[in-house]
Amino acid sequence: MASNFFGITDTGKQRQNNEDVFIAEKSGDGNFIIACVVDGVGGYAGGEIAAEIARATILEQLQYIAGDIVPLLVNTFKIANQRIYDEKAQNKELSSMACVLTLAVADVLNNKFYYAHVGDTRLYLLRDYSLIKISKDHSFVGFLEDSGRLTEEAAMDHPKRNEINKALGFTREIDHDPEFVETGSSPFLPGDILLICSDGLTDLVDKSKITDILTANEDLPPKGKKLIEAANNRGGKDNVTVVLVHNDKERKQHGATKPATATVKPVEQQEVITKPVTKKEEVPVKQAKPKSNGGTVAILSILCFVFLGGFIWQFKKNNDLAAIPKKTDTLVSQPIKNAQELKLQDTINNLKGNTLVLSAADFKQPIVLTDTLHINKDSIYIKTKGEIIFKKDSTYKGPAIVLSTKAKYVVLDSVAFDGFRIAIATRNDALVLKNVRFNNCLMPVLTAYQFPNMKYVSGRSLGSMFKADSIPSKATH
């Protein structure tokens, strides 16, 4: 196992089986570290099955990681949730099974990590001897602790500590709640350590003890084993699982720069330093004077300016004449944007925040487009009240919507496109569709990928994340 990531699990002192599983390995392309802890719920067999389904799904979906990573993690959770729920439907003995999990993807090369989380497993970041809890517990007691209403000590002893309100497998679909999966990203600096663990650790070992173990001058395997031992030494009431990831790149050290006034230089050195300035000021004026033919040069310069001015004037005059249409010229009419287009584009450009709600009451239907709508924001969520339809003008041949290169996360919710050759032109994997219809569109979505020139490229296209149905999915608004 690589030296900068490590995982370990233990049954504990009071359980007969282990419903925890973990992932601590590199992605198939070798560019990312996948770190995950899954805690199964639902009895002797059910919890183990749910946890294993989630683990297998993550390894399958994250074999190659590309594009916008957070939506990929969310989609992976959705697939795992669906598979767990389907398994429950086929086997009544597993009707109560589910799992909670925390997944992190570390990009050590670019000093960043991404995460997705459901339940009461936890994600911590250790930086400069300080341990920071990143994820939030999806439980009532966890909410009280995270909001400061309960101390860590009181929360650890609370009788309802392990009652969770979110898990994969609880419901058939998790799309109805956009906040069901907690997600985020953060810098992952040289020297940082990520800790992902099950509640078997944090129910028994406090933050101070965990910090002491993680800040010890040891490699990751001894640290992981000591965390397990600490939980077992306090009773080992539950399965205990720990995954650690270390950004082992060398920290950049910057030496302090002394102020210029801190050192008194000898007189000789001061003279050497100031000499060039003095020399520049004392250059004799006669060295800069032109020679005796200066008058001739001046006259030639004036003549050049005169000829140049005449040339520019004639060129401009010819252009102005050429711009006047002749009787035999065919005037090409440019499409004039209608009021609805102008209003919509202006609304997108001046939107404060990331959510835009389009009401059918504010726009005459359909919205006829004579030109492209441009989305230049980093992220935006466009959803509708009522039916919003974008229809191509009879003379327009371009796309309805184009996403700029800076767009990273653009959601279109419950809109329709009618008659376009290309409805949406996007780049990389910025686009998310919810209940979007394409009527008579030759190419609904055109995706362009940008890669570095003359490099070997590996990755995956995320088109499989889209699905089609004859009925809309449950509304989110």
Side-chain angles (χ1 to χ4, degrees):
M1 182 175 289
S3 60
N4 67 332
F5 58 88
F6 175 77
I8 185 172
T9 187
D10 189 82
T11 304
K13 297 295 186 182
Q14 300 183 21
R15 295 289 185 92
Q16 298 300 314
N17 68 313
N18 193 344
E19 295 179 320
D20 288 0
V21 297
F22 70 87
I23 302 171
E25 60 185 76
K26 286 193 174 183
S27 58
D29 52 21
N31 295 327
F32 300 87
I33 297 172
I34 305 172
C36 181
V37 169
V38 188
D39 187 352
V41 179
Y44 188 84
E48 292 182 3
I49 294 174
E52 187 54 43
I53 291 174
R55 181 181 183 277
T57 302
I58 291 168
L59 290 175
E60 170 195 299
Q61 295 295 313
L62 301 188
Q63 182 69 15
Y64 293 99
I65 300 173
D68 200 348
I69 295 176
V70 168
L72 175 60
L73 302 186
V74 173
N75 187 68
T76 300
F77 275 38
K78 290 179 181 178
I79 295 173
N81 180 78
Q82 185 69 51
R83 291 176 178 176
I84 294 170
Y85 195 89
D86 289 346
E87 185 68 22
K88 288 170 60 172
Q90 295 176 12
N91 191 340
K92 292 184 179 180
E93 294 180 358
L94 305 176
S95 60
S96 60
M97 79 172 183
C99 68
V100 295
L101 69 164
T102 303
L103 168 64
V105 171
D107 183 357
V108 176
L109 180 64
N110 295 303
N111 297 327
K112 196 166 186 179
F113 72 89
Y114 309 82
Y115 70 92
H117 162 76
V118 171
D120 60 354
T121 48
R122 289 186 176 183
L123 171 63
Y124 290 91
L125 172 66
L126 179 75
R127 176 175 296 165
D128 296 331
Y129 303 97
S130 178
L131 189 64
I132 305 163
K133 183 169 176 280
I134 303 296
S135 60
K136 298 184 183 302
D137 293 349
H138 296 153
S139 66
F140 178 66
V141 174
F143 167 74
L144 294 178
E145 182 182 357
D146 289 336
S147 60
R149 294 173 173 85
L150 275 181
T151 63
E152 180 187 24
E153 192 174 274
M156 291 171 70
D157 293 332
H158 200 285
K160 295 186 177 182
R161 169 82 178 182
N162 301 114
E163 293 184 7
I164 55 175
N165 52 41
K166 287 185 182 180
L168 297 190
F170 273 5
T171 60
R172 183 178 183 83
E173 292 186 359
I174 58 178
D175 288 345
H176 65 280
D177 182 359
E179 297 182 355
F180 189 92
V181 180
E182 178 190 343
T183 61
S185 61
S186 178
F188 187 41
L189 305 182
D192 287 356
I193 293 178
L194 293 178
L195 163 65
I196 305 176
C197 60
S198 62
D199 62 343
L201 175 70
T202 52
D203 281 355
L204 298 173
V205 185
D206 61 27
K207 186 176 177 181
S208 175
K209 178 64 176 177
I210 294 173
T211 305
D212 290 342
I213 294 173
L214 292 181
T215 54
N217 187 21
E218 293 181 312
D219 293 333
L220 296 187
K223 291 179 180 180
K225 292 173 183 177
K226 286 185 177 181
L227 290 171
I228 299 291
E229 291 172 2
N232 285 333
N233 289 339
R234 286 167 171 77
K237 299 177 183 179
D238 198 355
N239 309 142
V240 191
T241 305
V242 168
V243 173
L244 298 169
V245 182
H246 180 213
N247 187 336
D248 55 355
K249 293 196 300 187
E250 186 177 353
R251 297 187 185 186
K252 292 184 178 180
Q253 300 289 340
H254 299 283
T257 303
K258 292 183 179 181
T261 56
T263 303
V264 179
K265 297 181 180 294
V267 175
E268 294 82 359
Q269 291 186 4
Q270 292 180 9
E271 290 176 351
V272 170
I273 292 172
T274 56
K275 218 169 191 180
V277 178
T278 307
K279 186 175 181 180
K280 185 176 180 180
E281 293 172 353
E282 295 178 354
V283 174
V285 177
K286 67 178 181 179
Q287 293 181 7
K289 287 177 84 174
K291 295 183 180 179
S292 58
N293 60 352
T296 305
V297 173
I299 294 172
L300 289 174
S301 298
I302 293 171
L303 289 174
C304 286
F305 278 115
V306 170
F307 284 122
L308 180 61
F311 176 80
I312 293 173
W313 176 83
Q314 185 64 42
F315 179 81
K316 185 176 183 302
K317 181 179 179 182
N318 291 341
N319 281 349
D320 291 341
L321 291 173
I324 300 174
K326 300 176 182 178
K327 291 182 180 181
T328 57
D329 290 343
T330 302
L331 295 177
V332 179
S333 60
Q334 297 294 327
I336 301 175
K337 289 187 177 183
N338 58 54
Q340 293 206 107
E341 287 179 286
L342 294 171
K343 176 182 177 182
L344 183 53
Q345 185 68 73
D346 186 62
T347 302
I348 293 172
N349 293 343
N350 297 303
L351 178 67
K352 297 189 183 302
N354 295 320
T355 301
L356 172 61
V357 180
L358 299 179
S359 174
D362 297 330
F363 291 91
K364 180 183 177 182
Q365 296 301 310
I367 300 176
V368 178
L369 297 183
T370 63
D371 201 355
T372 303
L373 290 173
H374 293 275
I375 296 180
N376 298 314
K377 295 178 69 66
D378 179 89
S379 61
I380 186 173
Y381 191 130
I382 300 177
K383 56 184 179 179
T384 67
K385 287 184 178 179
E387 187 176 34
I388 297 288
I389 300 175
F390 296 107
K391 185 176 179 63
K392 183 183 79 71
D393 181 80
S394 58
T395 61
Y396 182 54
K397 301 184 184 302
I401 293 178
V402 171
L403 276 57
S404 74
T405 54
K406 67 184 288 187
K408 294 181 179 178
Y409 188 64
V410 176
V411 182
L412 299 180
D413 190 346
S414 303
V415 299
F417 297 86
D418 188 3
F420 293 91
R421 290 185 180 180
I422 299 173
I424 306 169
T426 179
R427 299 175 188 273
N428 300 322
D429 296 303
L431 181 64
V432 178
L433 301 179
K434 293 186 178 181
N435 297 325
V436 174
R437 290 182 295 118
F438 299 96
N439 306 327
N440 303 315
C441 294
L442 182 63
M443 187 175 295
V445 177
L446 178 64
T447 303
Y449 290 92
Q450 294 181 314
F451 299 120
N453 186 37
M454 300 180 68
K455 300 290 185 181
Y456 294 102
V457 176
S458 301
R460 61 175 289 187
S461 171
L462 301 182
S464 60
M465 294 173 65
F466 295 104
K467 64 178 182 179
D469 204 339
S470 57
I471 58 174
S473 60
K474 194 170 182 180
T476 58
H477 58 272

